Amino acid sequence: MACSQNLHEGDLVAVSIAMEAPGTNGYITRGSVVGSDLIAESALYIGKGIAKFSRQNMFKETSGIGVEMTDRVFRLQPCHGMLSGLGMLQNLPSAVVARVLAPVPGSKVLDMCASPGGKSTHAGQLMGDQGRVIALDRTHAKAQQIRNLAAELGLTCIEAFKMDATTALQKSGAQAPADVQPGKCLHVDAGQQHQSDAVPSMDTGSQALPNAKEQLRRERKDKARAMHGQAPLQRSDPSSQPVCKGFPPDSFEYILLDAPCSALGLRPRLSHHTTLLDLMQTARYQRNLLRVAVQLLKPGGHLVYSTCTINPGENEANVHFVLKTLDNMRLVAQQPYLASHGLTGQYTHEDGHREEWLTPEQASLVQRFDPCSKTDTIGFFIAKFCKVL
């Protein structure tokens, strides 16, 4: 995406697009202020509209309407919602992750950082909707988003819960409430309690009403949906949702850890404010997640670790950490394998901190998607481990 300089909110803009052809340099989508410069002859003019953001804010905002089209060349209806229940769009590396995990029907899977649910639902489909996929994320809203997607795709094996995955390992001696049978989940729905065999040791929790910032975010999202003819999002009462207390060690045959990361592989990203300290703290949090994942994995089970960053400190260095410090874990081959090998060697930072990466043999077993490579994807990293019996 590109935009003319000195664009202000409310300006009348001309919008054009260009489709990139294989083997060419291609072109970029360009929004031009009417009268300020010419639209590239190679681009396809699609109409005029009103800029809803300034140029600076247009590259900062992560959602919303950038240009409200007022004069369109092509009278096409928006595509939003047309694939509802039939499919969803994913980046190629994201679609590869569940295939690499390769859960079999009837297995028990944990997706530790699951929102918005694309990988959880993909895993559920690969399992033929037979078995259980436990999907965790840190807010009730994200857990509900996963449930909504699973319902839209007709999957019944997805169970989503609000939980910080670093606390997913059940503490020794932890017990469920007295009125909950072992291995059952306590739900609260319209004031009535009932049990199901969802996850071990559950109780209910509550959450305060959304603060002003969250309420404003919701209103903006609903307004954007209304502009596309979509109904407002249905948000459930957090107090009616089960809250997971965790799982015993060796609970899952398959674990997916698509870890929160610095997202340096996403594009287009025209500005970054990430510091070296941010990168190191993020990698430290990821290692905490990996420690929990290894303990929750059954012997003989498989763990897939992935990120959408190109930072080796969050990728190869964390794989080295698992192999060196966590018991009984080894790298295994991935299928499909569509990317490049990982990085080898080590790197010493200016402050003396040294990152150990991978050996050539280890590097050949991980996948590093380079946004500058011929695969033309976002930057992404995938490693697959097996817990030795």
Side-chain angles (χ1 to χ4, degrees):
M1 183 175 72
C3 180
S4 299
Q5 295 182 359
N6 302 317
L7 177 71
H8 300 287
E9 181 180 352
D11 283 349
L12 180 65
V13 298
V15 182
S16 59
I17 62 173
M19 302 301 292
E20 296 184 4
T24 69
N25 291 330
Y27 303 93
I28 55 177
T29 306
R30 183 172 179 82
S32 303
V33 177
V34 174
S36 65
D37 54 9
L38 297 177
I39 300 171
E41 294 182 359
S42 56
L44 175 64
Y45 172 75
I46 62 172
K48 294 183 292 186
I50 304 298
K52 308 304 288 185
F53 298 106
S54 66
R55 183 182 190 276
Q56 182 179 16
N57 289 335
M58 194 170 290
F59 294 125
K60 286 184 177 180
E61 295 291 336
T62 58
S63 63
I65 305 298
V67 176
E68 183 178 352
M69 300 299 291
T70 58
D71 184 12
R72 303 180 185 179
V73 173
F74 305 100
R75 304 296 177 182
L76 299 177
Q77 293 297 318
C79 295
H80 304 282
M82 290 182 63
L83 295 178
S84 179
L86 300 176
M88 62 173 294
L89 299 177
Q90 278 188 307
N91 288 299
L92 174 62
S94 299
V96 168
V97 168
R99 290 282 181 178
V100 169
L101 186 64
V104 299
S107 56
K108 189 175 179 183
V109 179
L110 175 65
D111 189 347
M112 298 180 69
C113 306
S115 179
K119 299 177 183 68
S120 292
T121 52
H122 192 180
Q125 290 173 329
L126 293 175
M127 295 160 58
D129 203 21
Q130 300 175 40
R132 300 168 65 194
V133 178
I134 309 299
L136 307 179
D137 221 298
R138 298 180 65 176
T139 68
H140 285 295
K142 289 183 176 182
Q144 186 60 46
Q145 185 179 25
I146 299 165
R147 295 188 195 101
N148 291 343
L149 180 59
E152 179 183 306
L153 297 174
L155 293 168
T156 60
C157 68
I158 311 293
E159 305 169 32
F161 300 97
K162 171 190 175 294
M163 186 176 212
D164 182 342
T166 58
T167 66
L169 184 66
Q170 195 176 84
K171 295 181 180 179
S172 177
Q175 295 181 352
D179 57 345
V180 181
Q181 299 175 12
K184 298 292 184 179
C185 170
L186 177 66
H187 296 264
V188 175
D189 185 11
Q192 295 183 342
Q193 296 184 0
H194 62 279
Q195 297 179 19
S196 70
D197 50 357
V199 290
S201 298
M202 315 287 291
D203 65 5
T204 58
S206 61
Q207 177 173 296
L209 293 173
N211 57 33
K213 184 177 180 180
E214 172 66 13
Q215 186 63 35
L216 181 61
R217 186 187 68 82
R218 292 183 178 185
E219 291 174 358
R220 287 177 176 173
K221 183 173 290 187
D222 287 343
K223 183 178 180 181
R225 291 176 64 86
M227 292 182 67
H228 291 293
Q230 297 175 287
L233 289 171
Q234 297 297 318
R235 299 180 176 93
S236 61
D237 179 5
S239 64
S240 68
Q241 300 185 21
V243 179
C244 180
K245 280 193 170 181
F247 311 91
D250 304 339
S251 288
F252 297 92
E253 291 95 356
Y254 299 91
I255 295 181
L256 169 58
L257 174 52
D258 186 47
C261 67
S262 57
L264 296 179
L266 297 184
R267 62 181 193 183
R269 290 286 295 272
L270 303 184
S271 64
H272 282 287
H273 303 284
T274 305
T275 66
L276 178 59
L277 179 60
D278 293 333
L279 297 180
M280 296 176 67
Q281 290 176 338
T282 300
R284 188 178 302 116
Y285 180 72
Q286 292 162 345
R287 291 194 290 272
N288 290 337
L289 288 167
L290 284 163
R291 288 187 183 96
V292 173
V294 170
Q295 294 180 76
L296 291 174
L297 188 64
K298 287 184 176 181
H302 289 92
L303 163 66
V304 167
Y305 172 74
S306 63
T307 73
C308 59
T309 185
I310 56 176
N311 172 30
E314 301 172 66
N315 296 332
E316 287 86 355
N318 278 346
V319 171
H320 175 82
F321 163 78
V322 172
L323 298 175
K324 182 178 180 180
T325 64
L326 302 181
D327 293 338
N328 303 323
M329 299 297 291
R330 62 181 178 88
L331 284 172
V332 293
Q334 303 181 33
Q335 183 62 36
Y337 193 99
L338 304 180
S340 302
H341 293 179
L343 302 180
T344 61
Q346 61 186 30
Y347 178 77
T348 302
H349 293 270
E350 292 181 358
D351 62 359
H353 169 69
R354 187 173 68 179
E355 286 180 0
E356 297 285 350
W357 296 345
L358 303 177
T359 67
E361 180 182 3
Q362 293 166 346
S364 68
L365 294 173
V366 304
Q367 298 198 64
R368 172 177 274 270
F369 288 84
D370 186 340
C372 298
S373 70
K374 293 182 179 179
T375 54
D376 192 28
T377 69
I378 62 172
F380 210 86
F381 181 85
I382 307 174
K384 183 175 183 178
F385 302 91
C386 179
K387 191 171 186 179
V388 180
L389 294 170

